[in-house]
Amino acid sequence: MSITAIRGFNDILPGDSEIWRHIEKEAHGIFSSYGFSEIKTPIAEKTELFKRSIGETTDIVEKEMYTFADRHGDLITLRPEGTASVVRAYIEHKLYTTPVNKLYYFGPMFRYERPQKGRYRQFYQIGAEVLGDASPRADAEALAMLMSFFERIEVKGAELQINSLGCLECRAVYKERLKEYLSGVASRLCENCLRRMEANPLRALDCKSPGCIEATERAPSILDSLCGACKDHFEKVKYYLRLSGIEPKINPRMVRGLDYYTKTTFEITSTGLGSQNAVAAGGRYDRLVSELGGPETPCFGFAIGIERVALILKEGGGYKKPLTVFIALGDKAEERSIQLLKGWRERGIRVVEDFSTGALKNRMKRADRMGARYTVILGEDELNSGVVAIKDMKTSAQVKLPFDLAADRVSIE
Ligand code: ATP
Ligand code: MG
C-alpha cells in the first residue's frame, strides 16, 4: 500500500500554487505599503505559551492542539495561530523599544479539527499585528488595509462584522449578566458550555451546537455593558471605518475563539464558501503582551485563512501564465533556440523546450499533455526566414511570426 498524506494536511499542487503565490504577493505589497515588515517565527513553541495566551478553556487549547513531548520530554506544540509567537518574539527581542511595531507573517498553523471544505488540520494564515498603538484609528486602518487587500485580489462580497468585548472591567460586569442568563437556559446548553459556564461563559456565544445557538438567541448584548472608554473606542472605530468607505455590520454575539481579545473583535465573511465562510478574523488585544511578561502594550491584529481565499479565487479563474512548449527541429534550430528562449524568459514568458526526439506529430501530442497553451515550432525553413510557427492549442489555428512578435503572441492567455 502506498503512503498518503496525514488526514487534514494538504499538498498545494501546480494550478493552485500560482493562486497562492498571487495572494502572497499582493499581501506583501499592500502590507508593506502600510509600513508592515515581515517576521518569521518558529512553527513550534513551548506549549505553555499557547495555554497562557489563547486561554485554557478555549476549544483550541482544550482539544485542537498538536502537542507532544520532544526527545528530552519537554512539551511542545505546533502553533495553532500566529499572534502568540509574534508577541513572544516581541518581548524576547525587546522590540518595544520602538514606539510602534507593524509586523506580518505568513505560514502554516495546526489545529486538530474535523477536516472538511475550508477547514483543515494544517492550514495557512497571513496575519498582521500592530503592537504599541492604542488608537481606534489603528483598528480602523488595519481593517481598511484588509478590505483593500480583498478588493485588490477580487474576493467578492467580503463583509465586515465587528463587535467590542470591552476591557477587563466592563467584561467582568457582562460575564455576570451572561452567567445569570445562561443559568436560566442551562437545560438547553451543551455539556461543554455548561462545564465552562463558570470560568468562561462567553464561550457559549461562540458554540456551534444548535441547542446553544438557540438558547443564547436572547442573551444580553455585550454592547450594553461597555464602559464609557470602551464605548467611545467602539464608536470611533466605526466612525473611521465609514471615513474609509466601509460600513461595518455590528454583531454583538461575536466573541471569537481566543480569550486574549479586548475591545474590537471582527470577522470578514465571504459568499461562496458554505459554512466555512470566515476568510479573516482578529481584533484588539491590549492585555496579552503584559500578561506574557512584557510592558503594557495595546495591540491590534488579524489573520487571513489562505485556503479559503484560494478556494474563492479558484472559482473565479486562476492565475497561471500560459505555457508554451517549444519544439526545435534539427541541429541548427536546436542551437538557435538556446539564445532565443533565453530572451523570451527574460521577458517573463513561460516556455518549456521539448528535448524529446521522434515524429513531430507525437511531439505535438506530448506538448498537449504537458498543458501547452501554445506550441511553437522552429524548423529549418522557419530558421532561414527568421520566423517560428505558433499553434494555438485551444483553437488549433496556426500562424507564422517573426521571433519578436511571436514572444508577444504567446504571452496572451
Ligand atoms: P472558524 O470560526 O472558521 O473556526 P476561527 O475563529 O477558528 O475560524 P481564527 O482562529 O480567528 O479562526 O483564524 C482566522 C482565519 O483563519 C479564519 O477566519 C479562517 O479563514 C482561517 N482558519 C481558521 N481555522 C482554519 C482551519 N482549520 N482550516 C482552514 N482555515 C482556517
Ligand atoms: Mg475555529
Side-chain angles (χ1 to χ4, degrees):
M1 253 218 341
S2 56
I3 299 169
T4 58
I6 303 168
R7 182 164 137 84
F9 286 57
N10 297 309
D11 299 306
I12 311 301
L13 301 175
D16 287 333
S17 61
E18 291 82 1
I19 298 176
W20 281 59
R21 176 167 296 269
H22 174 73
I23 295 169
E24 233 185 294
K25 196 173 136 219
E26 292 296 328
H28 285 299
I30 293 185
F31 293 4
S32 139
S33 75
Y34 279 80
F36 284 81
S37 304
E38 187 171 5
I39 180 168
K40 289 182 187 290
T41 62
I43 61 159
E45 299 272 359
K46 293 177 182 165
T47 301
E48 196 53 29
L49 175 68
F50 300 116
K51 283 195 178 169
R52 271 174 58 188
S53 55
I54 298 168
E56 298 263 9
T57 48
T58 56
D59 283 352
I60 295 179
V61 171
E62 279 184 354
K63 51 189 191 199
E64 294 175 1
M65 294 208 303
Y66 277 88
T67 298
F68 52 91
D70 67 10
R71 285 178 180 278
H72 184 252
D74 294 330
L75 273 192
I76 65 176
T77 297
L78 296 182
R79 61 182 183 195
E81 60 107 47
T83 303
S85 307
V86 172
V87 168
R88 197 259 316 129
Y90 174 81
I91 299 169
E92 193 168 334
H93 304 288
K94 299 192 174 56
L95 300 183
Y96 44 78
T97 49
T98 3
V100 179
N101 276 266
K102 294 173 122 180
L103 304 173
Y104 73 95
Y105 57 84
F106 173 88
M109 307 295 158
F110 305 84
R111 295 185 196 172
Y112 199 84
E113 301 197 71
R114 193 168 70 76
Q116 54 200 287
K117 184 183 174 194
R119 189 176 296 286
Y120 313 100
R121 290 182 174 172
Q122 176 183 281
F123 61 98
Y124 282 73
Q125 288 184 333
I126 299 179
E129 317 285 351
V130 181
L131 302 112
D133 202 327
S135 168
R137 296 194 59 191
D139 310 31
E141 188 193 64
L143 289 170
M145 174 176 88
L146 193 48
M147 291 303 270
S148 14
F149 168 70
F150 285 130
E151 204 176 292
R152 180 95 56 99
I153 61 169
E154 295 182 29
V155 165
K156 304 228 164 64
E159 185 187 79
L160 173 66
Q161 294 189 22
I162 64 169
N163 190 23
S164 174
L165 294 185
C167 57
L168 276 188
E169 285 83 53
C170 53
R171 188 155 56 210
V173 175
Y174 177 67
K175 272 186 179 172
E176 285 313 310
R177 280 189 198 157
L178 184 60
K179 255 190 246 173
E180 208 178 293
Y181 173 86
L182 291 176
S183 40
V185 296
S187 60
R188 291 147 70 194
L189 297 179
C190 77
E191 248 173 64
N192 230 356
C193 288
L194 267 184
R195 179 177 52 80
R196 298 193 292 208
M197 206 168 89
E198 259 316 299
N200 202 346
L202 263 64
R203 294 270 68 89
L205 297 178
D206 196 41
C207 182
K208 310 269 193 300
S209 94
C212 295
I213 294 175
E214 225 189 276
T216 56
E217 234 160 40
R218 289 158 180 280
S221 161
I222 191 160
L223 296 175
D224 297 331
S225 299
L226 295 185
C227 65
C230 288
K231 204 172 269 171
D232 184 53
H233 186 96
F234 193 50
E235 287 311 311
K236 285 189 168 136
V237 171
K238 288 188 282 184
Y239 177 73
Y240 291 118
L241 279 173
R242 286 182 191 123
L243 288 183
S244 307
I246 299 162
E247 185 57 50
K249 201 173 148 193
I250 313 304
N251 180 356
R253 287 183 56 97
M254 191 179 54
V255 297
R256 315 281 310 110
L258 305 92
D259 280 348
Y260 53 61
Y261 289 118
T262 53
K263 295 187 177 147
T264 320
T265 55
F266 79 92
E267 205 165 273
I268 295 175
T269 54
S270 173
T271 45
L273 280 171
S275 50
Q276 266 54 255
N277 64 352
V279 285
R284 180 162 278 286
Y285 52 98
D286 288 345
R287 311 256 326 126
L288 184 58
V289 177
S290 57
E291 272 166 15
L292 291 177
E296 286 284 329
T297 312
C299 304
F300 184 90
F302 64 77
I304 305 166
I306 309 301
E307 283 81 358
R308 295 185 192 177
V309 174
L311 276 170
I312 294 172
L313 296 196
K314 193 164 188 180
E315 274 157 28
Y319 289 88
K320 210 165 173 170
K321 274 189 176 180
L323 177 72
T324 292
V325 171
F326 192 94
I327 299 174
L329 301 171
D331 291 348
K332 283 218 176 70
E334 281 176 5
E335 281 163 23
R336 180 67 184 90
S337 75
I338 293 171
Q339 283 304 320
L340 180 68
L341 296 190
K342 184 166 182 258
W344 283 20
R345 289 178 177 128
E346 276 159 11
R347 293 172 63 169
I349 290 160
R350 229 173 140 243
V351 52
V352 171
E353 183 164 1
D354 173 34
F355 297 132
S356 73
T357 49
L360 180 59
K361 206 177 100 197
N362 291 338
R363 293 178 72 179
M364 296 295 284
K365 274 190 196 152
R366 229 170 104 87
D368 195 39
R369 289 211 314 275
M370 286 165 76
R373 175 72 185 82
Y374 300 99
T375 305
V376 172
I377 300 155
L378 181 63
E380 196 138 341
D381 287 351
E382 284 87 8
L383 188 60
N384 290 336
S385 5
V387 296
V388 290
I390 304 173
K391 181 173 181 190
D392 183 321
M393 304 298 275
K394 252 188 214 163
T395 63
S396 291
Q398 292 214 40
V399 279
K400 283 195 178 177
L401 288 176
F403 296 160
D404 256 23
L405 294 181
D408 289 336
R409 183 69 194 83
V410 297
S411 308
I412 304 166
E413 179 49 78

